[in-house]
Amino acid sequence: MLRHPSRWFIATAAALLLSTAAAAQSTSPSITFKSPSQGWGVVASSNPLPYGKTASIIYSVDRLTACRGNINSTTPGWTITGYYQFNNGPVQYFWVAGFSSVPNPPAPSIPLNQKGTLAVWFENTNRWGCQAWDSNYGNNYVFNVQ
């Protein structure tokens, strides 16, 4: 005798699928810049990155160790700044690590408010005039936003 699935089972399975899909869509995108010990990898949580979301930037400060130094042994005399640009437009920036003139700066992130090409790169500077860059051998890290 062949039994048909109950309506309860079908409704439960459908609800589970919908909640799983909604959870996957609500996950915040991220871009991870791994440390040298992790192979210097750069990984986006999805390709393309989802338009309209905000991507968390997970940056290993071990990538830019030049230009370090502290003031009074406790205050960083250096800052890592992230830069980004959509479709060769205006350059925007955000604090990543080190000294910040703003108390409790926000976690590094990029609002994905434009579709197309997103370029990202990083700079470490210090109060003594040193400057170092993290880009893909002179080319910025590039991602697609759709």
Side-chain angles (χ1 to χ4, degrees):
M1 177 159 146
L2 183 62
R3 298 185 129 212
H4 295 285
S6 70
R7 288 184 185 180
W8 174 85
F9 176 78
I10 292 171
T12 303
L16 180 61
L17 285 173
L18 286 174
S19 66
T20 302
Q25 289 179 355
S26 67
T27 303
S28 296
S30 64
I31 305 172
T32 302
F33 295 85
K34 295 181 179 181
S35 71
S37 66
Q38 296 172 315
W40 294 92
V42 176
V43 180
S45 61
S46 65
N47 183 19
L49 291 165
Y51 169 75
K53 300 278 187 168
T54 297
S56 298
I57 303 302
I58 303 160
Y59 188 84
S60 172
V61 296
D62 292 340
R63 293 176 69 93
L64 271 175
T65 56
C67 302
R68 296 294 175 90
N70 291 336
I71 305 165
N72 301 326
S73 7
T74 56
T75 304
W78 56 274
T79 302
I80 296 177
T81 303
Y83 297 91
Y84 65 98
Q85 181 182 43
F86 286 101
N87 305 314
N88 294 317
V91 174
Q92 307 288 324
Y93 63 92
F94 55 94
W95 173 89
V96 176
F99 176 78
S100 172
S101 60
V102 177
N104 303 313
S109 65
I110 297 174
L112 303 173
N113 54 14
Q114 291 187 43
K115 292 182 179 181
T117 302
L118 168 65
V120 182
W121 65 100
F122 300 87
E123 176 188 28
N124 192 13
T125 57
N126 71 21
R127 69 178 295 175
W128 302 281
C130 184
Q131 181 181 37
W133 297 94
D134 180 2
S135 58
N136 191 13
Y137 299 100
N139 298 309
N140 299 329
Y141 301 99
V142 178
F143 306 92
N144 187 22
V145 178
Q146 293 298 318

